[in-house]
Amino acid sequence: FQTLGADPTKLGWFFILPPLAGLVVQPAIGSFSDRTWAPKLGGRRLPYLLIGMIFAVIMMLFLPNIGSLGLGYGSIEALVFGAIAIAILDVAANMAMQPFKMMIGDMVNDEQKSYAYGIQSMLSNSGAVIAAFFAFLLTVLGVANTAKKGVVPQSVVISFYVGATILVITSLLTVTKVHEYDPKTYARYHGIKEEDNKEGGNWFGVLTAVQSIAAVIWSYVLAKVPNDHHKVGYGISLLLGAIGYGSIFFIHSQNILIVSFILIGISWAAMNTYPLTMVSNALSGKHMGTYLGLFNCSICLPQIIASLLSFILFPLMKYSMPAMMLTAGISGVLAAVCVLFIKETYKN
């Protein structure tokens, strides 16, 4: 978006797009795939993975070339076109990613789920680390990281192409190697009637939608917060999210969990807005992409550490997911306190 001429200090608005995509796609995919059985296309979840993969790959090949379409640097057409493209990519990515998570819930027993989700999270976040470093690595190898005004640098273009290739390979590998349970086997495995195959996935989709709605609304609120109050807005948001995570341990009502996920959505909006805003404010235009890429690594590495620690913490907590959520709440409180020690700088 900066390549297209967007104001770096206004990029927070574009972070509204991913939760909006999640708001529509995640509950829809959960609901539709719960009622799907297409053996020739892979089964229950895999058809949606294939469709999402196709559209995501198309957009990953198209998006880095938007600047070459001659729409005009900084023009409203270029920015709207880019926003639509990234929204489609977010929708497709959600569609491709959700089946991976759902299949663990479908096909893995309770004792193995923490291990399976932990491995999945570790692989996902490891991929994010590689992605964050990739453009920087290409630059070290001599690929240009600059381009004419309004055109995406070649290092970023190649990164998108490599990402699209990896998505195709991993999706096809999953489709050919994973064999989903047919409806009868699925019902017997989960101890339910065949006609009851849909309850759990739908409710998680509803809670995810609630989180996304809260994130969208709160993103608008945060966009109105003046620069000299960023730390206050960030700290309060993290604290509210901590309460949301921690409350899951004490709540036993399905409906009251909606409040918890509203608070989690508030913290999610802040985490997607303030860190990048603070970093980009402190940077000049020179090497902006390199430093933001490296900064993304500081986000991904703790996620990998958290995934690895889950293998130790989850058994110690007697495989209680609510207890893990309480741990997340405590971490959120500590994060809110750490915001007090951030020293903001502005590079003109």
Side-chain angles (χ1 to χ4, degrees):
F1 280 116
Q2 285 180 250
T3 301
L4 296 174
D7 181 353
T9 64
K10 299 294 188 294
L11 287 178
W13 286 102
F14 294 106
F15 286 107
I16 294 176
L17 295 175
L20 270 176
L23 165 65
V24 176
V25 177
Q26 292 180 14
I29 295 302
S31 178
F32 291 149
S33 63
D34 280 342
R35 298 193 296 269
T36 296
W37 178 248
K40 292 183 180 180
L41 293 176
R44 174 190 292 251
R45 317 294 186 189
L46 291 176
Y48 295 92
L49 184 156
L50 280 173
I51 295 169
M53 178 268 288
I54 291 169
F55 279 96
V57 166
I58 291 171
M59 297 317 299
M60 289 174 76
L61 297 177
F62 174 69
L63 191 62
N65 294 297
I66 287 179
S68 303
L69 299 179
L71 296 173
Y73 181 81
S75 69
I76 189 65
E77 292 85 0
L79 297 178
V80 169
F81 203 60
I84 292 172
I86 202 72
I88 295 173
L89 176 59
D90 280 327
V91 168
N94 272 279
M95 198 171 180
M97 292 285 289
Q98 286 306 104
F100 286 105
K101 301 174 184 177
M102 293 173 183
M103 283 189 289
I104 288 180
D106 288 347
M107 304 175 66
V108 178
N109 66 44
D110 290 344
E111 291 183 0
Q112 296 172 328
K113 279 181 183 175
S114 64
Y115 179 77
Y117 276 121
I119 290 293
Q120 187 182 73
S121 178
M122 183 179 69
L123 291 173
S124 176
N125 290 318
S126 297
V129 171
I130 294 170
F133 268 116
F134 202 75
F136 175 76
L137 177 62
L138 288 174
T139 302
V140 172
L141 295 176
V143 179
N145 69 336
T146 58
K148 65 180 182 180
K149 195 174 184 179
V151 177
V152 176
Q154 197 63 26
S155 59
V156 179
V157 173
I158 293 174
S159 295
F160 268 84
Y161 290 172
V162 171
T165 303
I166 291 173
L167 178 58
V168 171
I169 292 171
T170 53
S171 297
L172 292 179
L173 238 135
T174 302
V175 170
T176 55
K177 295 296 184 181
V178 175
H179 304 287
E180 294 192 71
Y181 298 148
D182 60 82
K184 187 176 181 179
T185 304
Y186 180 90
R188 188 169 68 248
Y189 181 72
H190 287 275
I192 59 175
K193 297 178 182 178
E194 195 169 334
E195 59 267 25
D196 291 335
N197 276 356
K198 64 183 181 177
E199 288 318 320
N202 279 355
W203 185 245
F204 179 74
V206 169
L207 291 177
T208 303
V210 167
Q211 176 184 334
S212 298
I213 292 170
V216 169
I217 295 172
W218 197 249
S219 293
Y220 180 77
V221 173
L222 295 180
K224 299 294 185 180
V225 175
N227 283 347
D228 56 350
H229 286 80
H230 278 172
K231 289 171 60 174
V232 175
Y234 194 17
I236 290 174
S237 299
L238 291 176
L239 196 57
L240 291 174
I243 295 170
Y245 280 114
S247 66
I248 294 173
F249 180 79
F250 301 100
I251 290 174
H252 302 286
S253 166
Q254 186 171 312
N255 292 325
I256 297 178
L257 281 175
I258 291 174
V259 177
S260 301
F261 275 78
I262 288 173
L263 297 177
I264 291 170
I266 286 173
S267 67
W268 184 250
M271 286 187 284
N272 276 289
T273 301
Y274 279 128
L276 285 172
T277 299
M278 291 176 176
V279 171
S280 61
N281 283 343
L283 296 173
S284 64
K286 188 177 182 182
H287 304 308
M288 174 76 75
T290 300
Y291 283 113
L292 287 179
L294 292 172
F295 177 71
N296 281 332
C297 297
S298 73
I299 298 171
C300 299
L301 288 173
Q303 290 177 323
I304 293 175
I305 293 170
S307 299
L308 294 173
L309 282 177
S310 70
F311 299 142
I312 300 171
L313 293 175
F314 201 44
L316 288 176
M317 295 178 181
K318 299 181 179 179
Y319 301 98
S320 168
M321 191 56 70
M324 291 292 281
M325 295 298 100
L326 180 60
T327 304
I330 294 170
S331 299
V333 172
L334 295 175
V337 171
C338 288
V339 170
L340 298 173
F341 300 98
I342 295 175
K343 183 181 179 181
E344 287 191 84
T345 59
Y346 298 86
K347 187 73 173 180
N348 296 322

